[in-house]
């Protein structure tokens, strides 16, 4: 393996300063409620508007948003919802006998109150709201509280707001940052307390989700975008370069990485990237992202390339390789997999239907991304009768004796005594 261009050491999403700042914000919101939220909105976003998005704002958005934009967003909502429904159909309740008198099973129960964080960011990402909200709606959440920064003309960008409405948000608040996460986790006079918080955000949002975890559930802690393209000698350097830069433009901290078994592809891709960047706006985050964190890695063999892919456990893994489907079973660590050069990551970012809220910073080693199953609980139950009581109570009595647990033994013994008396 050889690094032709090696990234700087990737900065951690959370530093001590960020941790302490977020801790202070959370404590202030817990104590101060709406007033604290408004204080931070003014401080960080120069916003002094009401925190709740009014019905008048919603009606104005629906009335004035161009029809062609609505069509695009409606399509996103439909496709994300359809994929979420297909995923949820794989989770089925069951109940069966596990021995005479031993009946056990589980139910699939929706999480009732969902907090959906939708970042404002540098660009109004039209798919971000549907990606977080639509699966919760499909899962059956009764209340979906959405928060999005008021960074567009004193409110939420109309297209983003429309996406939240169409996806099923029941309450929408024009707030962002750690204060939004704290408000949804602990509740304020205006903002309902939720059971789980999902959605991506900047490092303050990610740190806030980390700190409120336990009080509420979270989906995952997602950092800046990552993409790895794994290519052989059949790949197009132009397409690879475009795919790498598409993710690099998300954030200066985004990571765009090429792994290839072809030196020619490696060299030509680097040239293509340099050429494309000359056409990008000088303010594009892609410049800094590629310069400081881009990587091109030459692998001596296909197997070494696969090993690199699994080791990086990247968010988006795109295979520009002949017969790429044959490699699926050899790849175990990724947020989402894109087979063949035609399957652009951009399609998933926008409209294909899979969720673009995915694990970063090697979290793909132990988790997948946001999905319909993130919004349900698998709850077990059991019913023990007749011979099942005698069998399990006898075992529990003997085991409790060994463990020295008197109460456990008593609970089993009284049932054995009852069985014997019948």
């Amino acid at each position: 393996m050889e690094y032709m261009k090696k990234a700087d050491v990737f900065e951690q999403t959370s530093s001590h300063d960020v941790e302490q700042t977020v801790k202070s914000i959370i404590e202030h919101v817990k104590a101060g409620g709406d007033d604290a939220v408004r204080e931070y909105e003014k401080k960080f976003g120069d916003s002094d508007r009401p925190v709740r998005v009014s019905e008048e704002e919603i009606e104005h958005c629906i009335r004035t948003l161009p029809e062609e934009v609505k069509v695009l967003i409606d399509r996103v909502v439909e496709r994300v919802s359809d994929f979420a429904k297909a995923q949820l159909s794989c989770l089925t309740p069951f109940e069966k006998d596990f021995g005479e008198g031993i009946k056990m099973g589980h139910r699939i129960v929706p999480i009732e109150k969902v907090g959906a964080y939708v970042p404002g960011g540098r660009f109004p990402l039209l798919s971000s709201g549907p990606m977080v909200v639509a699966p919760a709606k499909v899962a059956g959440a009764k209340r979906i509280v959405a928060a999005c920064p008021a960074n567009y003309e004193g409110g939420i960008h109309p297209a983003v707001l429309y996406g939240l409405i169409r996806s099923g948000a029941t309450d929408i608040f024009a707030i962002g940052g750690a204060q939004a996460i704290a408000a949804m986790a602990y509740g304020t006079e205006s903002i309902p307390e939720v059971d789980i918080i999902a959605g991506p955000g900047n490092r303050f949002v990610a740190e806030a989700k980390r700190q409120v975890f336990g009080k509420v559930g979270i989906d995952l802690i997602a950092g800046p975008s990552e993409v790895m393209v794994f290519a052989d000698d059949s790949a197009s350097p132009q397409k690879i370069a475009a795919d790498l830069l598409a993710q690099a433009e998300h954030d200066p901290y985004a990571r765009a990485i090429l792994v290839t078994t072809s030196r020619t592809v490696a060299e030509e891709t680097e040239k293509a990237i340099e050429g494309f960047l000359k056409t990008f706006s000088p303010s594009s985050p892609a410049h800094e992202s590629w310069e400081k964190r881009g990587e091109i890695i030459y692998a001596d063999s296909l197997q070494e390339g696969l090993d690199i892919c699994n080791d990086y456990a990247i968010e988006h893994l795109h295979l520009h390789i002949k017969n790429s489907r044959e490699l699926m079973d050899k790849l175990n660590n990724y947020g989402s997999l894109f087979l063949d050069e035609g399957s652009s990551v951009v399609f998933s970012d926008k409209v294909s239907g899979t969720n673009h809220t995915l694990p970063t910073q090697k979290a793909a080693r132990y988790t997948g991304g946001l999905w319909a199953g993130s919004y349900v609980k698998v709850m077990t139950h059991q019913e023990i009768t007749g011979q099942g009581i005698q069998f399990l109570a006898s075992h529990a009595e003997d085991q409790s004796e060994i463990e020295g647990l008197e109460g456990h033994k008593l609970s089993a013994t009284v049932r054995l005594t009852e069985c014997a008396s019948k």
Side-chain angles (χ1 to χ4, degrees):
M1 178 176 67
E2 176 184 339
Y3 285 81
M4 296 183 63
K5 183 177 188 294
K6 188 173 182 180
D8 295 346
V9 175
F10 180 66
E11 289 96 337
Q12 294 298 311
T13 303
S14 174
S15 66
H16 178 71
D17 288 344
V18 172
E19 181 180 344
Q20 293 305 309
T21 298
V22 169
K23 182 178 180 181
S24 175
I25 292 171
I26 291 173
E27 292 301 320
H28 192 184
V29 171
K30 284 171 63 177
D34 282 349
D35 288 343
V37 172
R38 284 192 288 265
E39 178 184 327
Y40 286 120
E41 285 298 304
K42 182 65 177 176
K43 178 179 180 180
F44 297 130
D46 196 28
S47 172
D48 54 7
R49 55 154 292 142
V51 295
R52 182 183 284 274
V53 175
S54 67
E55 289 299 323
E56 290 75 18
E57 284 181 272
I58 291 173
E59 290 171 6
H60 182 264
C61 169
I62 294 173
R63 186 172 62 253
T64 60
L65 195 67
E67 285 302 316
E68 60 269 24
V69 177
K70 292 180 183 177
V71 168
L72 289 175
I73 296 170
D74 287 343
R75 182 181 297 141
V76 173
V77 173
E78 180 182 10
R79 295 188 65 83
V80 171
S81 298
D82 285 348
F83 190 79
K85 290 174 185 175
Q87 286 185 306
L88 196 63
S89 70
C90 297
L91 290 175
T92 56
F94 83 92
E95 184 177 272
K96 61 179 292 187
D97 293 329
F98 289 83
E100 187 173 344
I102 304 173
K103 192 181 296 293
M104 297 187 291
H106 73 222
R107 297 164 57 216
I108 310 298
V109 179
I111 295 174
E112 292 189 5
K113 295 175 290 183
V114 169
Y117 187 85
V118 179
R122 296 171 176 80
F123 313 102
L125 300 177
L126 308 190
S127 298
S128 291
M131 292 287 181
V132 184
V133 174
K137 178 71 172 179
V138 167
K142 292 181 179 178
R143 194 166 196 178
I144 304 173
V145 179
C148 183
N151 59 1
Y152 179 83
E153 299 181 358
I156 299 172
H157 191 285
V160 175
L161 179 56
Y162 180 79
L164 292 173
I165 297 162
R166 294 292 294 157
S167 300
T170 57
D171 306 81
I172 304 175
F173 296 90
I175 57 175
Q179 63 270 23
I181 301 301
M184 290 190 289
Y186 291 95
T188 70
E189 298 90 332
S190 301
I191 302 163
E193 178 182 338
V194 300
D195 301 317
I196 185 172
I197 297 175
N202 64 20
R203 58 182 180 164
F204 291 93
V205 169
E207 176 62 20
K209 287 172 67 178
R210 187 188 69 81
Q211 290 192 26
V212 301
F213 176 62
K215 172 62 174 66
V216 295
I218 62 172
D219 53 345
L220 69 163
I221 299 175
S225 185
E226 302 171 345
V227 64
M228 175 173 281
V229 172
F230 183 23
D232 61 13
D233 58 6
S234 69
S236 161
Q238 296 286 311
K239 289 179 181 176
I240 295 171
D243 289 344
L244 292 173
L245 292 177
Q247 299 308 305
E249 77 172 342
H250 275 294
D251 191 284
Y253 292 95
R255 302 176 73 195
I257 304 164
L258 169 62
V259 178
T260 181
T261 55
S262 167
R263 289 184 180 275
T264 299
V265 168
E267 292 165 358
E268 292 301 314
T269 297
E270 187 162 28
K271 291 178 185 176
I273 289 172
E274 291 169 356
F276 281 139
L277 281 174
K278 291 176 182 177
T279 70
F280 277 44
S281 165
S283 63
S284 172
H287 295 286
E288 183 178 348
S289 169
W290 179 250
E291 177 61 30
K292 292 186 176 180
R293 293 167 184 84
E295 296 182 48
I296 297 177
I297 304 171
Y298 174 71
D300 290 327
S301 66
L302 183 67
Q303 184 58 54
E304 185 175 52
L306 291 168
D307 291 341
I308 294 168
C309 292
N310 281 322
D311 180 61
Y312 270 68
I314 210 76
E315 180 185 18
H316 306 97
L317 179 57
H318 194 172
L319 305 184
H320 286 234
I321 289 179
K322 297 185 297 285
N323 304 317
S324 61
R325 181 171 287 276
E326 297 175 4
L327 302 179
M328 281 185 69
D329 291 343
K330 298 179 181 180
L331 293 164
N332 305 313
N333 299 331
Y334 54 79
S336 193
L337 181 64
F338 302 81
L339 300 169
D340 296 336
E341 64 177 22
S343 306
S344 172
V345 175
V346 168
F347 300 158
S348 173
D349 282 346
K350 308 300 180 189
V351 68
S352 66
T354 60
N355 209 292
H356 71 201
T357 306
L358 298 167
T360 62
Q361 300 178 63
K362 289 196 171 186
R365 291 174 298 125
Y366 58 82
T367 188
L370 182 64
W371 69 297
S374 301
Y375 296 117
V376 299
K377 301 174 288 185
V378 179
M379 301 169 61
T380 61
H381 63 269
Q382 53 197 283
E383 182 181 18
I384 314 301
T385 59
Q387 191 171 326
I389 295 175
Q390 188 166 358
F391 172 70
L392 295 181
S394 178
H395 176 101
E397 186 180 54
D398 291 343
Q399 184 171 329
S400 298
E401 176 70 28
I402 295 170
E403 294 167 341
L405 294 173
E406 297 172 347
H408 283 68
K409 181 180 178 182
L410 175 62
S411 182
T413 300
V414 295
R415 285 166 173 80
L416 280 175
T417 301
E418 184 180 43
C419 288
S421 65
K422 290 182 178 179

